Amino acid sequence: MTDEPHGFDRGLTNYGDRDFARFLRRSFARSMGLSRETLEKPIVGIAMTPSGFNNCHRMMPDLVDAVSRGVLAAGALPRPFPTVSLGEVFLNPTSMMYRNLMAMDTEEMISAQPMDAVVLIGGCDKTVPAQLMGAASAGLPAVQLVTGPMMTGRHKGQRLGACTDCRGFWAKYRAGTVDSDEIETVEGRLSVTAGTCAVMGTASTMACIAETLGMSLPGTAAIPAVHADRLVAAEESGKAAVRLIESRITPQQVITPKSVENAIRVLQALGGSTNAIVHLTAIAGRLGIKVSLERFNQISDETPVLVDLKPVGDGYMEDFHSAGGMGALLWELRPLLHLDTVDIEGRTLAERLDQPPEWVDRSAIRPFADPVSSVGGLVALKGSLAPDGAIFKRAAATLALFESEGRAVVFTGLEDLAARIDDPALDVQPGDVLVLQNAGPHAAGMPEAGYLPIPKKLAQAGVKDMVRISDARMSGTAFGSIVLHVAPEAAVGGPLAAVRNGDRIRLSIERKRIDLLVEEAEIRRRLADFQPPPAPSRGYKALYRRTVTQAPDGCDFDFLANSQADE
C-alpha cells in the first residue's frame, strides 16, 4: 500500500473541513455495524446490477456474496453498490439508448465513492460494455465479472437456447410450418435457467472480449451461470481486486491498441456479434484508441472462424466452455496475437499461453488448420450507400447473396415496417433488397431492428433469406444476409435517406462494398430538402440525441470519448 488515502479516507466529502468530513463518514460507517478495525481496511467496491427487469442477472445476489467472500478472505472490505441495470428485451425503445447512461452511472459511482478497486458484475448485452466504458474513464483498478450464459433446454429431442432458436422457431411460425400451440410450448423451453443467451450472441461475445482484453480473469468468460465454478470465479475475482490495490494496474494499462486488436481477432474467430464492434469501439474510444474499419477488414481476412456455435454453427456456450473455452481458442490464435499484452494480474498473454491446453473438443473449437471458415466472421463495407461504413456478418449469411444486385423495397421507419411488411399487396420479390431507414442512433436509438422479417407471403413460399439493409443493429443471436450500422444514418442526411422504391442496390462482399446505383447528382438532389426528425425536448433522450456519435465512433456521447475522470 502507498501512503495515499485508502478505504473510507478516499475522496472525502467536501465540507471545508477534512477532519470533520472523516469523522462524520466514519460515524455513519459505524452505523452499518462496522468495527473501528474494519474501517481501516482498503475497500473493494462491487458494482452490482440486479433488476426485476433483467433475467440475465437473476444470480446477482449469489455472485455479490461470492465476490464479497473473496474480498474478505484477501483482507479488504467489500462494499456492494447498485448502478443502472439493462435488461435487453425489457427496455423501450432499445437498451442501446441506455448503454451510455449506465456507463455514466458506473463511471461516476466508481469515482465519487470511497473504494480502492472495483469488481464490475454484469452480463446482459449492454451491461458489460457499459461497465468497461465507465471503468476505463474512471481509471480505478477494476475486474470484470460476467454473469455467465444459460444452459440449454429441450423440445421434442432438439436442444434449444435463447435466442438463435427463438428466431428460428418464430420464422417457422411466420411461414406457417409451426402452429400457435407449438410456439407457445417452445416459448417456455427456450430460456430455462438463469444467465445470458446460450449462443454466441452479444452477451457471450462481450464476455469473451472482456477476457481477451485482460479485464477478466482467465477462463471465466464462458462458465455457465448456474455452474458452481461461476461462484468460484466470483470469489477469485474478489481476491484479484484486492491484489490490484497493491499492483495499481488500471484499465488504461490493460486496454491498449494491441489488446484491442487481439479482441478484434477473437471476435472474428468466434463469428461473434455485430454489436461487439460498436461496443469495442466505444470502450477503446474512452482511452483515445481508434478502431479502423480498414484494419478491421485486414484482421478479418487473416483470421479464420474457429468456434462452431450458433448462430454461425451448431453448438452452445456450455459446449464452448466444456471444450476448453477461451484458453483453447487463444492457443489456436497464438501466432496472430500480440503476446506482450498484460491482464489485470500483470500476466502477459505469452505467459498465459506458455503451455497448450490439456484437452480440446474439436467439435466446438476447431484447429487453425481445419476452421469453420477460412476468413473472419465480420466485415466492414463502404460505398456510395455507406460512405463512413457498415457491418456485415458473413459467417451467418447466405453465400449465394454475397455478390448480388436487387431492387430496393423501402420502409421509412419502424412503424412503416410493422405496418406493411406482411401486407399481401406489398410489391416485393425474392431477389429484392429490403431497406429500413430512420432506425439509427439519432432516429430511434439504434434498436435491433436490422433483422427485418422476410415478408410473410415470401416466407410462406419458402424464402429463407434476402439482402436487408439498415442503419439499425441486429441481435448477435440473429442470422441472414444483413447489412447493418449504415453510416451516416438516414436521420442525419446520409445517403440511406435518399433510397427510393425501385432503386438498384449492389452488394459485393468480395470488394467489401455496398452501393446505391443512383447518380451522385440525383442523390444530392433528393437530399437537398432533407429535414431531420424532430428531437426530444427534455431529459436523457434529449441529451442522447444531441451528443450521440455514429456507429463507426461507437455510438458513445461525444463529450465522453477519450476522457478519464480526475484522480
Side-chain angles (χ1 to χ4, degrees):
M1 292 289 296
T2 67
D3 292 332
E4 296 178 3
H6 70 274
F8 281 116
D9 288 346
R10 284 179 64 96
L12 291 169
T13 310
N14 191 354
Y15 300 108
D17 183 337
R18 291 182 58 81
D19 290 338
F20 172 72
R22 184 174 185 273
F23 166 73
L24 187 62
R25 176 175 288 180
R26 291 169 67 89
S27 174
F28 276 60
R30 294 287 291 275
S31 78
M32 293 186 277
L34 300 175
S35 68
R36 294 194 68 181
E37 180 185 8
T38 299
L39 293 183
E40 301 301 326
K41 293 182 178 293
I43 292 176
V44 172
I46 305 173
M48 61 177 185
T49 52
S51 170
F53 293 105
N54 195 336
N55 61 295
C56 300
H57 292 191
R58 181 157 65 86
M59 302 297 289
M60 189 65 61
D62 291 339
L63 292 173
V64 171
D65 286 347
V67 172
S68 298
R69 248 192 343 262
V71 172
L72 288 167
L77 175 65
R79 289 290 87 185
F81 63 95
T83 71
V84 168
S85 182
L86 304 177
E88 179 68 26
V89 301
F90 295 96
L91 287 162
N92 178 279
T94 168
S95 63
M96 186 64 179
M97 179 173 283
Y98 299 104
R99 182 202 66 179
N100 297 348
L101 178 65
M102 184 179 179
M104 292 175 69
D105 185 7
T106 303
E107 174 186 347
E108 296 301 332
M109 289 302 96
I110 292 173
S111 301
Q113 297 176 125
M115 62 190 77
D116 301 286
V118 62
V119 177
L120 310 156
I121 312 179
C124 197
D125 289 16
K126 309 304 175 292
T127 63
V128 171
Q131 289 180 324
L132 290 174
M133 291 162 68
S137 292
L140 198 73
V143 181
Q144 181 73 56
L145 172 68
V146 298
T147 59
M150 296 178 188
M151 303 288 278
T152 53
R154 297 292 188 277
H155 175 67
K156 295 182 178 179
Q158 177 183 345
R159 292 173 76 194
L160 295 182
C163 197
T164 301
D165 295 325
C166 310
R167 300 177 192 284
F169 269 93
W170 191 253
K172 292 176 183 178
Y173 175 64
R174 283 176 53 80
T177 58
V178 166
D179 63 23
S180 57
D181 288 339
E182 185 170 7
I183 200 71
E184 185 174 319
T185 299
V186 169
E187 179 184 288
R189 296 176 177 174
L190 284 162
S191 306
V192 295
T193 76
T196 57
C197 286
V199 299
M200 190 54 74
T202 304
S204 295
T205 305
M206 290 309 304
C208 294
I209 281 177
E211 185 173 326
T212 304
L213 287 172
M215 290 298 297
S216 299
L217 289 180
T220 61
I223 304 168
V226 295
H227 198 299
D229 284 348
R230 175 55 59 195
L231 297 178
V232 175
E235 184 175 313
E236 292 302 318
S237 295
K239 294 176 183 176
V242 178
R243 292 192 292 271
L244 278 174
I245 297 172
E246 182 67 32
S247 69
R248 304 305 297 170
I249 297 173
T250 59
Q252 55 265 43
Q253 295 167 266
V254 175
I255 303 172
T256 65
K258 287 184 177 181
S259 70
V260 169
E261 280 209 355
N262 285 347
I264 294 172
R265 188 87 60 187
V266 163
L267 169 60
Q268 299 291 359
L270 292 169
S273 169
T274 51
N275 288 306
I277 185 59
V278 176
H279 298 322
L280 184 58
T281 299
I283 294 163
R286 290 298 182 97
L287 299 173
I289 301 167
K290 295 290 186 182
V291 174
S292 157
L293 294 184
E294 289 73 23
R295 180 61 180 146
F296 183 84
N297 279 340
Q298 290 173 0
I299 292 173
S300 180
D301 288 344
E302 297 167 354
T303 309
V305 176
L306 299 178
V307 178
D308 193 347
L309 263 61
K310 291 186 176 184
V312 170
D314 296 321
Y316 296 86
M317 282 300 291
E318 63 194 69
D319 304 320
F320 180 60
H321 171 63
S322 61
M326 282 301 299
L329 177 61
L330 290 170
W331 176 265
E332 291 299 326
L333 292 173
R334 194 172 75 263
L336 300 177
L337 297 171
H338 298 290
L339 298 177
D340 55 346
T341 58
V342 297
D343 63 14
I344 51 174
E345 296 277 77
R347 178 194 305 108
T348 66
L349 189 54
E351 291 170 333
R352 176 181 176 179
L353 300 176
D354 65 346
Q355 295 291 327
E358 291 184 10
W359 178 81
V360 180
D361 182 349
R362 293 304 184 186
S363 68
I365 303 171
R366 300 280 193 88
F368 198 90
D370 182 28
V372 177
S373 168
S374 61
V375 291
L378 283 68
V379 291
L381 310 176
K382 286 195 175 182
S384 62
L385 189 55
D388 293 341
I391 296 294
F392 185 84
K393 189 171 183 176
R394 59 182 168 187
T398 302
L399 183 61
L401 295 175
F402 279 21
E403 307 297 318
S404 58
E405 181 184 319
R407 182 186 63 146
V409 177
V410 180
F411 300 92
T412 58
L414 298 170
E415 294 77 13
D416 185 35
L417 175 67
R420 294 195 298 121
I421 190 67
D422 289 337
D423 186 342
L426 181 67
D427 181 12
V428 63
Q429 301 296 325
D432 289 342
V433 176
L434 304 182
V435 177
L436 174 63
Q437 300 166 327
N438 296 308
H442 278 253
M446 208 179 182
E448 291 185 342
Y451 183 70
L452 281 71
I454 303 297
K456 184 171 284 189
K457 66 181 183 181
L458 296 184
Q460 291 173 339
V463 175
K464 298 291 196 296
D465 196 9
M466 299 174 69
V467 176
R468 287 159 275 180
I469 300 172
S470 75
D471 44 15
R473 299 176 299 112
M474 76 173 180
S475 169
T477 64
F479 46 86
S481 303
I482 303 175
V483 178
L484 302 154
H485 311 177
V486 170
E489 66 175 298
V492 298
L496 186 65
V499 183
R500 302 290 182 263
N501 283 317
D503 289 345
R504 305 292 293 181
I505 294 176
R506 180 184 296 141
L507 170 66
S508 174
I509 301 306
E510 182 180 359
R511 298 173 59 222
K512 298 183 176 63
R513 291 191 63 87
I514 183 72
D515 288 297
L516 175 61
L517 303 183
V518 172
E519 293 291 336
E520 187 177 337
E522 173 62 14
I523 294 175
R524 287 198 303 268
R525 187 192 67 77
R526 293 179 185 182
L527 294 175
D529 297 326
F530 169 79
Q531 293 291 328
S537 60
R538 63 178 300 277
Y540 176 74
K541 289 179 180 178
L543 173 68
Y544 185 94
R545 174 71 68 83
R546 285 197 306 271
T547 61
V548 69
T549 62
Q550 293 291 287
D553 293 316
C555 297
D556 200 359
F557 289 159
D558 56 16
F559 62 90
L560 291 177
N562 196 17
S563 64
Q564 282 185 250
D566 294 333
E567 289 290 339

